[in-house]
Amino acid sequence: MPPAPGFATFRDMEDTIEITVNGEARDIPAPATIADLLTRIGLDTRKVAVERNLEIVPRSTYAATALAAGDRLEIVHFIGGG
Amino acid sequence: MDGIPNAAVAPPALDDDGWEVAGLRFRSRLIVGTGRYKDLEETGRAIDASGAEIVTVAVRRVNLGDPKAPMLQDYVDPKRYTYLPNTAGCFTAQDAVRTLRLAREAGGWNLVKLEVLGPPPFLYPDMRATFEALEALLKDGFQVMVYCSDDPIAAKRLEEMGAVAVMPLGAPIGSGLGIQNPVMIRAIIENAKVPVLVDAGVGTASDASQAMELGCDAVLMNSAIAHAKDPVRMARAMKAAVEAGRQAFLAGRMPRQYVADPSSPLGGLIR
């Protein structure tokens, strides 16, 4: 049953924040940590590295690092290269 | 296969004790890149055939649209090979340092390859930016192998600053032109107290041998293998070429002279 007029949907009730990940703007539910974001994207945390606002985020702190609106993240991994 | 072992067919590698960089010991004197292959499967097979123990890798953004795409680690096992993260594609000291900090976090080790390049079409090393990046990386605790120009003064300066290896180019990256500057490569080797590697320019097996005959500690290449018609076979050729060049260097070549010197004795000829 669709929500009655005047009632917010569950989605609307969530707080979201806008962050930039690898140059792309993304809205994510808040509060969220780096670990939450990586899970949401579907990445294996053991194979990537994360930079947040030009600072490295140590892997051991992913679950404790909360994201804030406007954060700029780079998520990288190793690829073939010379 | 019984009988007295013939010294002439003993495996040549036994005479080579390997080389050391940043306190790590390696038997193979061939370092290979992992880029430009047809696919990851071919990458894995070629690297296996090369016998390399160190592979260079690049650091790039994860493709957020395809997070489950196969990764290099699935084909080139980081437990088997020492990953040497590079800064390929970095044109400023700042980008290079930022890239290697991410690489250290992704990989968990300090040994890296620094390259800061000038503009196309030559991608010649930008030494001023390279010095700047090296200084920042050393302060941050990295062990840095440095891609550099074929300039003995610059190479010496890198060593004095604390580079763990200097890696002059033999020719522009990906050009396959071979060692264009043997005199300067040799000058760098004679001056150096850290390992010297030719990095870039090797096109075929004889180029790799030549680098080793000049006295390099090792050779680094990517395109020469990846862009060969049969990369796996070329990887095998490069392994043999590096070993042959090293053996020739250790053996010490005969002196050059500009007149003939017959191999067979002139005495005892029939008349």
Side-chain angles (χ1 to χ4, degrees):
Chain A
M1 202 172 94
F7 283 84
T9 61
F10 176 72
R11 173 93 200 148
D12 292 335
M13 280 161 51
E14 275 185 333
D15 283 329
T16 66
I17 52 171
E18 189 181 295
I19 60 172
T20 304
V21 185
N22 289 357
E24 292 172 23
R26 287 201 158 212
D27 285 317
I28 57 157
T33 63
I34 302 256
D36 295 335
L37 177 71
L38 294 174
T39 307
R40 205 181 166 78
I41 296 170
L43 287 170
D44 182 344
T45 56
R46 292 166 305 172
K47 291 179 182 170
V48 300
V50 180
E51 185 196 74
R52 177 187 179 221
N53 303 328
L54 301 175
E55 296 283 338
I56 297 291
V57 184
R59 189 170 291 148
S60 58
T61 66
Y62 288 170
T65 306
L67 292 166
D71 276 355
R72 300 186 66 83
L73 298 167
E74 292 288 342
I75 306 175
V76 302
H77 65 155
F78 290 130
I79 65 154
Chain B
M1 294 294 283
D2 53 18
I4 300 159
N6 181 348
V9 297
L14 293 178
D15 303 323
D16 188 358
D17 51 351
W19 66 293
E20 208 171 285
V21 63
L24 302 168
R25 189 142 202 97
F26 298 97
R27 287 195 69 80
S28 171
R29 294 176 179 270
L30 176 56
I31 299 180
V32 293
T34 53
R36 315 189 82 173
Y37 287 92
K38 188 178 69 188
D39 51 36
L40 287 169
E41 195 267 333
E42 186 185 75
T43 312
R45 282 192 302 126
I47 288 167
D48 178 56
S50 75
E53 295 165 302
I54 306 177
V55 298
T56 61
V57 296
V59 178
R60 291 292 182 275
R61 284 174 165 171
V62 166
N63 180 359
L64 298 174
D66 191 9
K68 295 295 178 203
M71 288 194 183
L72 184 65
Q73 287 99 318
D74 303 328
Y75 293 84
V76 181
D77 184 358
K79 291 192 195 79
R80 174 174 169 193
Y81 301 99
T82 298
Y83 271 32
L84 183 66
N86 70 20
T87 57
C90 291
F91 294 92
T92 67
Q94 193 191 9
D95 283 349
V97 172
R98 203 178 152 200
T99 297
L100 290 178
R101 284 183 177 143
L102 278 163
R104 176 164 63 180
E105 186 56 30
W109 52 82
N110 285 329
L111 184 62
V112 294
K113 170 185 162 180
L114 172 66
E115 59 182 291
V116 190
L117 305 179
F122 298 116
L123 302 176
Y124 198 77
D126 178 338
M127 290 313 295
R128 192 168 76 164
T130 301
F131 290 132
E132 187 187 334
L134 177 62
E135 192 171 9
L137 290 166
L138 293 170
K139 269 189 198 147
D140 206 1
F142 283 92
Q143 308 258 33
V144 193
M145 300 171 72
V146 188
Y147 177 59
C148 61
S149 58
D150 54 332
D151 170 351
I153 309 299
K156 194 66 191 171
R157 177 151 178 226
L158 293 170
E159 175 186 309
E160 286 165 357
M161 285 173 73
V164 295
V166 294
M167 307 198 291
L169 77 169
I173 292 171
S175 67
L177 289 171
I179 315 293
Q180 295 296 305
N181 44 6
V183 177
M184 285 302 113
I185 298 284
R186 196 188 166 83
I188 290 171
I189 293 165
E190 281 176 357
N191 271 325
K193 294 193 182 70
V194 294
V196 177
L197 290 80
V198 160
D199 177 358
V202 167
T204 188
S206 52
D207 301 333
S209 291
Q210 188 193 3
M212 295 310 299
E213 287 169 12
L214 287 168
C216 284
D217 292 277
V219 181
L220 199 163
M221 67 181 74
N222 188 342
S223 307
I225 296 175
H227 279 188
K229 279 187 191 145
D230 181 345
V232 176
R233 189 182 290 271
M234 186 57 91
R236 231 177 275 142
M238 289 301 184
K239 178 178 194 281
V242 166
E243 287 171 5
R246 179 62 183 173
Q247 291 300 322
F249 172 75
L250 292 175
R253 63 155 296 137
M254 65 165 285
R256 285 182 174 87
Q257 57 184 11
Y258 290 93
V259 291
D261 184 8
S263 306
S264 304
L266 290 176
L269 282 168
I270 54 168
R271 298 288 175 202

